[in-house]
Amino acid sequence: CPHVSSPPFPTLPAGFRFGAATAAYQIEGAHDEDGRGPSIWDIFSHTPGRTLAGATGDTACDHYHRYREDVALLRELGVDTYRFSIAWPRLLPQGTGPVNARGLDFYDRLIDELLAAGIAPTVTLYHWDLPQALEDRGGWRVRETAEAFAEYAALAADRYGDRVDRWITLNEPYCSAFVGYAEGRHAPGAEEGRGALAAAHHLLVAHGLAVCELRAAGARDVGITLNLDRIHAASDRPADRAARLRAETLHNDIWTEPLLAGRYPAHEAETWAGLADGAWRLPGDLDLIGAPLDFLGINFYRPTTVAAAPHRVADPEQRTAVDIGVAELDPYGTRHTTMGWPVVPSALTELLCDVHVRYPQSPPIWITENGSAEADIIAPDGRVHDGDRVGYLADHLTAVADAIAAGVDVRGYHAWSLLDNFEWARGYDQRFGLVHVDYATLTRTPKDSYHWYRGLITAHRARTEEPAR
Ligand code: GBH
């Protein structure tokens, strides 16, 4: 029994599904085992200065060898579903061409272990680990990478489709295109204008091609995960409102307009000046990208506030694609996670309602990630008292319940993350897990938030399920 007072359990409707999420490069380790090829994250993390303290995913949580223990933790947690990603370079070490049987076998074992535990697999095909061989040929800047992704999607669907119903094509294409090719803080670490905008488009094309392959293989529940931002303007001044529109275009509309409304975003010309001529677009692409989906995945962590600001580079042709004349502010008060992110649960309700109003044709929504980084330590009593995370989860699940009450169709929620893990450029300092990982021993210790989430799921079932007959 928790010895500190816990927030009351949020009330979600019958049939609402609970899960936990991870991603391959963040947890698997075994980076050079069983024929896996290098991804852009192997190269990037091994480049001095790219990640905090030179952290890499070489070992990470060693999930590749400890997946049975991790599935046991999921079973004990009681989740309906587990969202994990497949490492493209385990299946196709060169990104295309020769198939690696031992890589295929690993996800067979993981999926079978999950099914034996009564947990539905939710598979993300791409959580940022592009095979380096494809980056060497242009990466997401070139259309061939989208075609290679279709080949990979077909392979995965063919192999696992008999046991996996729910598929997510891409995780947060914003990060792949703009953090990777414009901000340069993620692999491959480029700082480009046109290259990043071409990458954004080719990611959407890759998604469309993959949806086609998944459907052809009989997949029934297919979607994409976006990190949509709830963006507030710093003031009502026209300049700040225009800045907000540019940020909406960069973060949200570039994805939601083609995916959910069959058109390119309305404000791209003023967002990117001469860069957004769309030279990489082909006739028919909008039909491909806009093919109907079964669900929209949303990852949500925090809102942002923006104000108009000078561009960093005067010549539009020389700018990166994130240099859109916007500064980010944080007027949200004192509640923050160790990532420095403000905690504003009402922004999630606003975001969900906004998607619902703007895109009445939107498919049902899943929250595919939501969670909090905290400075978790094992206390003398052997437990991890992550009360801030419990508060974060409780408040955001309540925000989801509020959106549902307002008419938004939200079907489920994945906590990010099952385990503390490799937090990309931030290395291992940021802990997002429901389960603590001691990186020296790889020991797993469920935190108070794990026990709280388990209690919530148990209480939800007791309240909503038909009594056994
Ligand atoms: C999600 O990204 C990811 O899907 C997941 O893999 C990640 O672990 C989780 O959220 C928590 O961050 O490294 O300092 O340059 C959320 C959006 C965008 C947040 C990139 C971190 C980079 C900051 N992420 N951002 S830094």
Side-chain angles (χ1 to χ4, degrees), residues 26 127 171-172 185 301 341 369 416 423-426:
Q26 295 182 271
H127 203 123
N171 176 70
E172 302 190 355
R185 288 185 296 123
Y301 290 91
W341 295 347
E369 286 179 28
W416 181 271
E423 177 53 26
W424 308 110
R426 303 291 287 264

Side-chain angles (χ1 to χ4, degrees), residues 23 26 83 127-128 171-172 174-175 179 183 185-186 227 299 301-302 339 341 369 416 421-426 432:
Q26 295 182 271
R83 174 179 178 236
H127 203 123
W128 308 354
N171 176 70
E172 302 190 355
Y174 173 87
C175 293
V179 188
E183 296 179 28
R185 288 185 296 123
H186 281 184
N227 52 322
N299 292 352
Y301 290 91
R302 53 144 182 187
M339 289 292 278
W341 295 347
E369 286 179 28
W416 181 271
N421 61 47
F422 174 75
E423 177 53 26
W424 308 110
R426 303 291 287 264
F432 275 91

Side-chain angles (χ1 to χ4, degrees), residues 19-23 26 83 127-128 171-172 174-175 186 225-232 251-252 297-305 328 330 332 335-349 351-352 366-374 388-389 391-393 395-397 399-400 413-419 421-424 430-434:
T22 64
Q26 295 182 271
R83 174 179 178 236
H127 203 123
W128 308 354
N171 176 70
E172 302 190 355
Y174 173 87
C175 293
H186 281 184
T225 281
L226 304 175
N227 52 322
L228 296 182
D229 267 7
R230 179 66 186 166
I231 306 171
H232 300 115
H251 289 275
N252 299 339
I298 294 178
N299 292 352
F300 180 86
Y301 290 91
R302 53 144 182 187
T304 49
T305 289
E328 274 190 29
D330 183 350
Y332 298 105
R335 195 176 168 194
H336 286 76
T337 72
T338 56
M339 289 292 278
W341 295 347
V343 180
V344 190
S346 58
L348 176 54
T349 313
L351 174 71
L352 291 167
W366 272 78
I367 303 298
T368 40
E369 286 179 28
N370 175 244
S372 161
E374 306 294 347
D388 288 344
R389 177 173 295 101
Y392 183 101
L393 297 175
D395 291 350
H396 285 79
L397 276 157
V400 172
Y413 174 97
H414 286 274
W416 181 271
S417 179
L418 175 66
L419 303 171
N421 61 47
F422 174 75
E423 177 53 26
W424 308 110
Q430 300 296 326
R431 294 180 176 272
F432 275 91
L434 301 173

Side-chain angles (χ1 to χ4, degrees), residues 63 112 120 226 230 242 246 350 371 410 450 463:
H63 170 77
D112 290 344
L226 304 175
R230 179 66 186 166
R246 294 195 296 278
E350 290 171 16
V410 187
Y450 173 101
R463 184 172 52 76

Side-chain angles (χ1 to χ4, degrees), residues 223-224 226 228 260 293-298 355 362-367:
I224 186 170
L226 304 175
L228 296 182
L260 302 178
L293 296 176
D294 303 304
F295 67 94
L296 172 67
I298 294 178
V355 171
S362 164
I365 292 170
W366 272 78
I367 303 298

